[in-house]
Amino acid sequence: MAAAKLNTLLQTKVIESQPEACYLLGKLEGILSRSIEEKTETYSFLIPLVRTLVSKIYELLFMNLHLPSLPPTNGSPSFFEDFQEYCRSDEWQVYIDKYIIPNMKQYEENSFRHDNEQMALYWKDCYEAFMVNMHKRDRERGESKLKFQEHFVEPFSRKARQENLRYNSMLKQLSSQHAATLRQWRAAQLYLFSERGPWAERKQRPVHWKLSNVENFSRMRLKLVQNYNFNSHQDASDLRDNLGVHQTQPSSESLLLEVVKQVKVSDLEDDVLELPEEDTSASSNLDEKDEESQKEKLILSEDCELITVIDVIPGRLEVTTQHIYFFDGSIEKEEGVGFDFKWHLSQIREIHLRRYNLRRSALEIFLTDQTNYFLNFNKEVRNKVYSRILSLCSPNISGTRSPQELFKASGLMQ
């Protein structure tokens, strides 16, 4: 393939000067002589090139005078073997050494030196143009970044938001359609299997009811729903009334359960700590001037955690003379969703010491609206917060203190 392309180039190239012709013939003859000496297949690819080149420069280099024994190149069938033998002759070697090689070297010196100077100037111009373009690129990079963001990033973000809204709306639509379909199926089932339906059971089963799990704001269950998993617990009743069941010795499992219950009760008793008695007169009679002016005064501020069913929310609890504040410090608060609370001291109904992760570090506060909050503190801070809240609240609230301590702290005997 390469030899064919070179042959095409030689046929189309116009050779005007003798030095150029000597340069081409000298380079080609050097490769040809090495292939003949090494006896490689390259010779078969070079012969068409030699024939084309010799036919073009035959008259330019006066080969009819210098090489009278040169084999004819005009389509001779034996040119392949004849030229291979002719390359070893003295006539060809003298012509190459005395005429072709000197002109080839002179052409290399004249042409390539000029070319080298031109190449040096060319690369110098390229370097200068490169530096200028670098400075321009640094200036245009900021503009291109803004254009890229305007034409690509912002439209992509807008399309992504629209696609998310479309996908979410489609999910909601499918969910509502699924719920509507379920309601229709249940209505059809109720119609077919009801008391007067065509597929109703002739033997009516007893209907059992239970309290619904739905609670109102006061945590009251005001609705009855049908209990489809009713169990009369007949076996338990027989065991309770000793009907048909033999008395057996208590098993090891029941004994172990009783021991665990006793240990749990003892742990709860340990939670009831002896809290330090405070100056009841000072706690019950806070600064009268502050109460008269109805100004809140910060009493205590501690870091804590609000424990919910599915999450632990870090925050800060602040106790003042009138309210208790909880400020959410989680990441969700920064996004607009938080658990900030504010309770008036008069809303506290009960406060109890609790354990969290087997550590005596938590408090549970019950309010008058039937809500409760579980707060976890450091172990050294829990009792301090508990004492301060008790000293600020009404003396009749239920806490972990015994009735004797509550009566003593109320100040009714003074």
Side-chain angles (χ1 to χ4, degrees), residues 22 58 106 177 230 251 276 297 343 355 370 384 390 412:
C22 293
Y58 186 79
Q106 184 177 1
Q177 183 179 0
F230 176 76
S251 62
K297 180 181 178 182
W343 317 307
R355 288 189 179 189
Q370 305 301 323
K384 179 181 177 182
L390 282 183
L412 298 176

Side-chain angles (χ1 to χ4, degrees), residues 54-201:
V54 170
S55 62
K56 288 182 70 70
I57 64 176
Y58 186 79
E59 296 179 357
L60 184 62
L61 298 182
F62 304 104
M63 288 186 175
N64 54 352
L65 300 177
H66 298 284
L67 302 174
S69 302
L70 180 67
T73 59
N74 51 357
S76 175
S78 61
F79 182 78
F80 185 89
E81 295 82 3
D82 295 341
F83 190 80
Q84 187 175 5
E85 295 179 358
Y86 183 73
C87 288
R88 298 189 182 93
S89 63
D90 295 337
E91 181 181 336
W92 176 259
Q93 295 296 331
V94 171
Y95 178 74
I96 294 297
D97 295 337
K98 295 295 181 67
Y99 185 72
I100 298 299
I101 293 179
N103 291 328
M104 180 184 70
K105 292 181 179 180
Q106 184 177 1
Y107 179 79
E108 287 179 351
E109 292 177 359
N110 296 333
S111 300
F112 292 162
R113 181 177 59 189
H114 181 66
D115 292 341
N116 291 334
E117 292 177 357
Q118 289 182 348
M119 289 298 294
L121 294 174
Y122 172 75
W123 287 116
K124 183 179 180 181
D125 295 339
C126 289
Y127 177 74
E128 292 178 355
F130 173 74
M131 296 303 295
V132 172
N133 291 331
M134 283 293 291
H135 291 295
K136 290 182 179 179
R137 189 179 301 173
D138 292 338
R139 290 196 303 267
E140 296 175 355
R141 185 171 297 173
E143 299 177 359
S144 62
K145 184 177 181 181
L146 294 176
K147 291 181 180 179
F148 177 79
Q149 186 172 1
E150 180 181 357
H151 291 86
F152 293 96
V153 177
E154 292 180 359
F156 175 79
S157 302
R158 186 164 54 253
K159 290 290 185 181
R161 288 194 297 269
Q162 294 176 358
E163 179 64 20
N164 290 333
L165 291 175
R166 186 197 65 79
Y167 180 72
N168 293 330
S169 63
M170 183 189 67
L171 290 181
K172 290 181 180 179
Q173 184 178 1
L174 291 176
S175 178
S176 61
Q177 183 179 0
H178 180 68
T181 305
L182 285 179
R183 285 195 298 269
Q184 293 177 1
W185 275 105
R186 289 170 183 171
Q189 183 181 8
L190 181 62
Y191 170 76
L192 294 174
F193 289 95
S194 61
E195 295 178 358
R196 298 182 181 180
W199 296 346
E201 294 183 1

Side-chain angles (χ1 to χ4, degrees), residues 92-365:
W92 176 259
Q93 295 296 331
V94 171
Y95 178 74
I96 294 297
D97 295 337
K98 295 295 181 67
Y99 185 72
I100 298 299
I101 293 179
N103 291 328
M104 180 184 70
K105 292 181 179 180
Q106 184 177 1
Y107 179 79
E108 287 179 351
E109 292 177 359
N110 296 333
S111 300
F112 292 162
R113 181 177 59 189
H114 181 66
D115 292 341
N116 291 334
E117 292 177 357
Q118 289 182 348
M119 289 298 294
L121 294 174
Y122 172 75
W123 287 116
K124 183 179 180 181
D125 295 339
C126 289
Y127 177 74
E128 292 178 355
F130 173 74
M131 296 303 295
V132 172
N133 291 331
M134 283 293 291
H135 291 295
K136 290 182 179 179
R137 189 179 301 173
D138 292 338
R139 290 196 303 267
E140 296 175 355
R141 185 171 297 173
E143 299 177 359
S144 62
K145 184 177 181 181
L146 294 176
K147 291 181 180 179
F148 177 79
Q149 186 172 1
E150 180 181 357
H151 291 86
F152 293 96
V153 177
E154 292 180 359
F156 175 79
S157 302
R158 186 164 54 253
K159 290 290 185 181
R161 288 194 297 269
Q162 294 176 358
E163 179 64 20
N164 290 333
L165 291 175
R166 186 197 65 79
Y167 180 72
N168 293 330
S169 63
M170 183 189 67
L171 290 181
K172 290 181 180 179
Q173 184 178 1
L174 291 176
S175 178
S176 61
Q177 183 179 0
H178 180 68
T181 305
L182 285 179
R183 285 195 298 269
Q184 293 177 1
W185 275 105
R186 289 170 183 171
Q189 183 181 8
L190 181 62
Y191 170 76
L192 294 174
F193 289 95
S194 61
E195 295 178 358
R196 298 182 181 180
W199 296 346
E201 294 183 1
R202 300 310 174 190
K203 294 181 180 180
Q204 294 293 331
R205 297 180 181 180
V207 180
H208 301 280
W209 302 88
K210 66 177 181 178
L211 284 175
S212 174
N213 293 328
V214 180
E215 299 179 352
N216 62 1
F217 184 74
S218 300
R219 286 195 172 182
M220 300 170 63
R221 299 183 181 182
L222 305 178
K223 184 179 178 181
L224 289 175
V225 295
Q226 192 171 355
N227 186 6
Y228 297 99
N229 299 319
F230 176 76
N231 189 356
S232 61
H233 301 288
Q234 188 63 36
D235 296 339
S237 299
D238 294 342
L239 289 174
R240 180 196 61 190
D241 300 333
N242 297 326
L243 299 177
V245 179
H246 299 286
Q247 289 286 346
T248 57
Q249 295 294 331
S251 62
S252 59
E253 295 181 358
S254 61
L255 292 176
L256 179 61
L257 181 61
E258 186 66 24
V259 171
V260 171
K261 288 182 179 180
Q262 293 179 1
V263 171
K264 189 173 182 180
V265 170
S266 62
D267 290 342
L268 292 176
E269 292 176 354
D270 292 339
D271 273 343
V272 183
L273 302 177
E274 291 292 336
L275 297 173
E277 296 183 359
E278 300 179 355
D279 190 358
T280 56
S281 60
S283 62
S284 60
N285 300 321
L286 293 170
D287 196 348
E288 297 180 356
K289 295 180 180 179
D290 291 341
E291 291 181 354
E292 291 176 357
S293 61
Q294 297 297 326
K295 293 182 179 179
E296 285 190 85
K297 180 181 178 182
L298 182 63
I299 302 300
L300 184 66
S301 179
E302 295 291 344
D303 294 331
C304 64
E305 295 175 343
L306 177 64
I307 310 301
T308 62
V309 179
I310 59 175
D311 201 0
V312 177
I313 303 160
R316 189 168 186 84
L317 187 74
E318 292 186 358
V319 181
T320 66
T321 55
Q322 296 182 8
H323 296 88
I324 297 178
Y325 299 90
F326 176 79
F327 299 101
D328 187 359
S330 60
I331 301 176
E332 288 77 5
K333 174 64 180 301
E334 299 177 358
E335 299 177 356
V337 180
F339 289 86
D340 294 338
F341 298 107
K342 175 185 176 181
W343 317 307
H344 198 276
L345 293 175
S346 60
Q347 294 180 345
I348 298 178
R349 180 168 56 87
E350 297 179 13
I351 179 170
H352 296 281
L353 299 174
R354 292 289 187 255
R355 288 189 179 189
Y356 180 69
N357 290 339
L358 301 179
R359 297 174 68 250
R360 298 184 180 93
S361 60
L363 290 177
E364 189 171 11
I365 301 175

